[in-house]
Structures are given as structure tokens and as C-alpha cells.
Amino acid sequence: APVATPAAPVATPAAPVATPAAPVVTPAAPVVTPAAPVATPAAPGTPSAVISDAPKIDGVPAVDGAEAPKRKSRFSAAADALSEDGGSGKKRGKAKKEPPVPLTPEQAKAVEIKGFSDKAKASIKKGDFEVAQGLLESLVAVDLPHSEKKVALQEVATVYEERGDLTKPIAIYEKLCVVLDNDGDVPAWLLKLGQLYRDAGAYQMAISRYYGVIQLGMKMGSSDFTRYQGLTRQAQREVANTYFIKGDFEQAQKFYNMALRSDLPKEERAVAMFRSAHCTFMRNDMNGAVNALERFLKDFSRHASAAEARYMLAMSYKNLGRPQDAYDTVIELLREAKGKAEADPKAWAFWQKKAGNEFANDYYQRGDFVNAVTIYQALAALETAPEWRWPVVYQMGLCFERLRFESRAVECYKYIVEENTKPEFRWKKMPQSVGNLVKMAAWRVEQLSWEGATSKQLRSTAGTEVPRSVSR
């Protein structure tokens, strides 16, 4: 039978020959099938393609070896219909979109409020405060109850606060407290107002808003009081904190002690006890401060405020003329607080450095070089950064010089010079004070070496020890 080839037909005895009865695809009616390409007209002088055994569609078989035509026939349309309904006769095209459900007037206004709120927040972040003010006024003017607007208003107030503008959040929360005076969020708004007023320096206004929370709690029934009990306790603490920031330590201590008489959780009790002791210390009642701080450290030795408590205790001992107790407290803070710094490592490090520096420098100025160098050694172990360790080691060198331990002093100065030559420090940008310290350490090494050599020569000449002045 003849086979369609680009060149000439080749006869193969095994293949069946197309009979005249089988319909042959002509150029006038190309066929498209979903699986096989449709036959195209044969080139002039070339026999027609052989009909394949592909499945028939509407009685027309597919043809192998032909490209699909650019225009679909009626058979391809039928194939598309079969592919869409999967043979079931039901068309599976894209589902029709349901028409949008019209919003109720209240819903439309809620969408409008959200739009104003989002635009106002974006304007505030960009710094367009005039635009934001206009949008905020439009938000307030929407004809809906304020209870429907309160969330949007609080969000706008938060954005103003983040930008550092305290007056507008205060105005927003004040308005909410007035127009929604029966709302369940009023105590939280009053607490927020107290914080904003305190941050703005209006301490008396802050205290009055905190008192408002306490009064609301007293007016509530038994079930409501349980609900707002946490807010009431928080308001009492904030009143005490505000008096403390204001500098009225007597009133602050009164509220802290009032809180201690109630059944507080452990953390709240620790904070109230520490701040009450702090008030006693700030009132210059050193005996009372010692008693209060010792009680606090006995109960809460690992608390985040324990480092500051030890510092105040050491200062109290010092002011009471108990230097050895003060020294022991500082050494305990520097050496034994490593395992206790888990609550707040940064706070512990701060108070360790502050206490150590103050007491070591005080001992040095008073000529107590032994206690001074002991504290400096503990300070050097706190941190490895050159900005911290090298000045402390230099002070150790000065103490050893005053104690006539020149060799130990040279070790301290050489440590600074040699550390500065290490690659990790040599190319590191250091503060100018550190650079000057390295130069001073190198000069002290040369000076002590010269003094040692000169003293040795004089001893060999005179046969006696030559005294050296230690005052520099």
C-alpha cells in the first residue's frame, strides 16, 4: 500500500491498503481531534495520507502525520463541547459570578470609617498631619454611634503617639471617655490617659486619671469589680510610680505600702517591696533603707532589681560609716552575681559597673589602694571590650605603682600595649580616648623601665637602696 512520505510512495506488503470506501480527508475539510493533529492537504504529486486507527468523532477518523489547521472546523467545536462537559452533556465552564450583595447603610458607613482611618494613619506616617487631621474630622463626622468608631479612633491615636505627638491622642481618649462614659473600655482609656499625661510631664493630671480608674472599680458590683480588679491594682501602682517620678517619695511609699497589704502575685510583690525600699533610700533614711533592702534581697535575691538593691545597700552602709560592709556588698555584687543575672543581664551589668567604678575610684582617691585594686580586678573580668577593660587595667597599674609593685604595674601596661598590636584590635576603629590610653601605657612602661635601671645603677654605686617618690 502507498505510505505518505516527503519523497515517493514506498510499498510495504504487510500494511493494509486504504479502500475507496473509506473517507479521505480532503483539503477542503480539515479535521481536528482533541488528541491527534488534523491532516492537512497533501503536497502536489504526493499521495494522500493514510487514515489512522485513531478514535472517530462524529464518524470522522483522525489522521496521523498532519498539522492542525489555524481555523477550527465544526468537528473541533464538537470536540471542545465534549471536553467541556466530560461526555455528560453538561457544560462545565466558569461559574457565573454572583452579583454583589448590596451593603446596608450601616455597613457602608463602617466601610467609610475604615477608609478614613487607613488614610489618616498613612498620612500620619508620611508626616502629612494636616491631611490626617482632615481625615480624622471626616471620620468623626460619619453618621454612626461613637461606639462604632472607637476602634478606628484608638488606632489613629496610637499612630499619633508613635510619632511623638501626645496632645492629639490625649484629645481622642478624653472625647471617648466623655461620649462613651458607660463603655466597658473606659477604665483602660483612663489608664492610657494617665500614661500619656505622665509622659507629657503633667503629673497631677495623670494622677487624677488613675484615681478615676480606682473610683470606677469601687462603684462596680461584685462581678464587675472582679473583672476590673487587675486594672484597679494597676492604677494604684501607677499612682505610686507617678509620685515617685514627680519626686514625692513620701506619697509614693504610701501607695507602695498600701499595695503590699493586699494579696499580690509574687512578681508584683517583689516590685512593690523594692520600690518602697527605694523610696526610703531617696528620703535619706539610711537605717530604714538598710532594713528594707536586706529584707528584699533575702526574699528576692535573683530578681531583676536585686543588682540595684545591692548598690543602694552598699551606699547606705557607706553613708552610715560602715565601710567594710559596703566593700563586702560591692564585692558580692561583682563576683557572686553571675548566676543571678539571668532575669536581666543588662541591668546587672549596668549596676555592677556603676557600683564598682564609684567605690574603686573612691578608695583610690582616699589612698586605699588595696581595696581599689581588688575592685578593679573584679571590674576587668566583667567585659573584654577594649573600651571597658583597658582603662580598668590601666587603673590597676596605677594602684600597683602606689603599692610599690612596679613589676605588676609593668605587666598591666604591657598588657594594653600588646593587646593593641593584635590583628582584631590593630585595625579596629577605636575611640580617641582608647588611643591616648595606649600611648600613656607605652610611656609608663618606658618610664618604669628607666627608673628601674637607674635605681639599679645607683644601688651598685652607693651600695644602698635608693628611695623612689611615688607621688605623680
Side-chain angles (χ1 to χ4, degrees):
V3 179
T5 61
V10 180
T12 56
V17 180
T19 63
V24 179
V25 178
T26 63
V31 179
V32 178
T33 67
V38 181
T40 57
T46 304
S48 299
V50 179
I51 297 181
S52 70
D53 295 330
K56 298 180 180 181
I57 300 176
D58 291 345
V60 180
V63 180
D64 295 334
E67 294 182 357
K70 294 182 180 179
R71 189 182 64 180
K72 293 184 178 180
S73 68
R74 59 188 179 88
F75 300 109
S76 66
D80 289 345
L82 286 173
S83 66
E84 287 181 0
D85 65 7
S88 63
K90 295 181 180 179
K91 194 170 183 179
R92 293 185 304 173
K94 293 183 179 179
K96 291 184 179 181
K97 292 183 178 179
E98 296 293 335
V101 178
L103 300 176
T104 64
E106 290 75 13
Q107 291 174 333
K109 291 175 182 178
V111 172
E112 186 180 6
I113 287 176
K114 187 178 185 308
F116 284 134
S117 174
D118 293 341
K119 291 178 181 179
K121 290 186 287 185
S123 300
I124 294 169
K125 291 179 179 178
K126 290 179 182 178
D128 299 334
F129 296 109
E130 293 183 2
V131 175
Q133 182 65 29
L135 291 166
L136 182 61
E137 292 174 358
S138 300
L139 188 155
V140 175
V142 176
D143 186 18
L144 270 181
H146 282 83
S147 58
E148 302 292 333
K149 307 175 190 176
K150 67 177 183 179
V151 175
L153 288 170
Q154 289 177 86
E155 290 176 353
V156 174
T158 301
V159 177
Y160 272 121
E161 184 182 358
E162 290 173 352
R163 300 289 298 186
D165 186 351
L166 300 180
T167 57
K168 290 183 175 62
I170 287 174
I172 290 173
Y173 283 112
E174 289 284 8
K175 183 176 181 64
L176 287 173
C177 290
V178 171
V179 299
L180 299 174
D181 55 339
N182 292 322
D183 193 281
D185 290 333
V186 170
W189 295 339
L190 289 172
L191 280 173
K192 188 65 178 179
L193 278 169
Q195 175 204 326
L196 293 170
Y197 277 124
R198 188 171 64 194
D199 293 344
Y203 300 124
Q204 201 56 44
M205 292 294 293
I207 292 171
S208 68
R209 295 301 176 269
Y210 292 135
Y211 270 121
V213 179
I214 298 172
Q215 290 170 358
L216 280 176
M218 295 173 64
K219 293 178 181 178
M220 298 295 178
S222 57
S223 58
D224 292 333
F225 181 77
T226 302
R227 177 184 174 191
Y228 295 118
Q229 188 175 13
L231 293 174
T232 303
R233 285 207 305 261
Q234 184 180 349
Q236 291 175 342
R237 293 196 303 269
E238 295 302 336
V239 170
N241 293 340
T242 306
Y243 276 124
F244 186 91
I245 295 171
K246 186 181 177 182
D248 191 344
F249 302 113
E250 185 174 353
Q251 283 294 323
Q253 188 172 24
K254 173 184 173 182
F255 276 87
Y256 288 133
N257 292 339
M258 186 187 304
L260 287 172
R261 287 194 290 270
S262 60
D263 186 17
L264 294 176
K266 183 177 179 180
E267 176 62 22
E268 293 184 17
R269 177 166 294 278
V271 172
M273 184 180 292
F274 167 73
R275 290 181 177 172
S276 177
H278 197 172
C279 289
T280 306
F281 177 81
M282 296 302 294
R283 290 169 48 224
N284 290 321
D285 182 2
M286 294 300 130
N287 285 314
V290 166
N291 294 331
L293 291 166
E294 286 178 345
R295 285 197 304 271
F296 170 76
L297 290 172
K298 180 180 178 181
D299 295 339
F300 303 101
S301 61
R302 293 180 179 272
H303 192 265
S305 300
E308 186 178 0
R310 293 183 189 281
Y311 167 77
M312 289 191 293
L313 181 60
M315 293 296 294
S316 301
Y317 284 139
K318 178 184 173 182
N319 292 334
L320 290 173
R322 298 164 60 178
Q324 189 59 45
D325 290 331
Y327 173 81
D328 293 341
T329 303
V330 172
I331 292 297
E332 182 181 5
L333 172 61
L334 294 173
R335 290 183 175 175
E336 299 180 8
K338 292 182 180 179
K340 300 176 182 178
E342 299 174 357
D344 193 345
K346 290 184 178 180
W348 278 86
F350 173 82
W351 290 108
Q352 284 175 321
K353 292 178 180 180
K354 181 177 176 63
N357 258 326
E358 289 186 9
F359 278 84
N361 293 340
D362 181 67
Y363 284 131
Y364 183 88
Q365 294 295 332
R366 292 193 286 110
D368 189 350
F369 303 116
V370 174
N371 284 337
V373 75
T374 304
I375 295 178
Y376 283 132
Q377 287 173 329
L379 285 172
L382 293 180
E383 191 175 330
T384 60
E387 296 85 350
W388 170 258
R389 176 170 285 184
W390 294 2
V392 175
V393 173
Y394 187 86
Q395 287 297 119
M396 289 169 55
L398 294 178
C399 290
F400 284 128
E401 280 194 66
R402 300 305 186 269
L403 294 170
R404 302 297 299 273
F405 295 144
E406 287 84 0
S407 60
R408 296 293 303 276
V410 170
E411 289 178 8
C412 293
Y413 300 137
K414 281 186 175 180
Y415 170 83
I416 298 172
V417 175
E418 291 172 358
E419 285 287 302
N420 188 57
T421 61
K422 291 183 177 180
E424 60 267 30
F425 299 133
R426 186 176 182 182
W427 306 110
K428 182 180 178 181
K429 187 177 180 180
M430 299 282 191
Q432 185 177 357
S433 58
V434 176
N436 293 338
L437 184 73
V438 174
K439 294 177 182 179
M440 292 168 60
W443 181 83
R444 294 305 302 163
V445 170
E446 295 177 1
Q447 180 72 12
L448 290 175
S449 300
W450 177 83
E451 288 181 357
T454 303
S455 177
K456 185 176 180 181
Q457 290 178 358
L458 290 175
R459 283 200 306 271
S460 63
T461 301
T464 57
E465 177 70 21
V466 178
R468 183 176 70 84
S469 173
V470 296
S471 60
R472 290 185 176 84

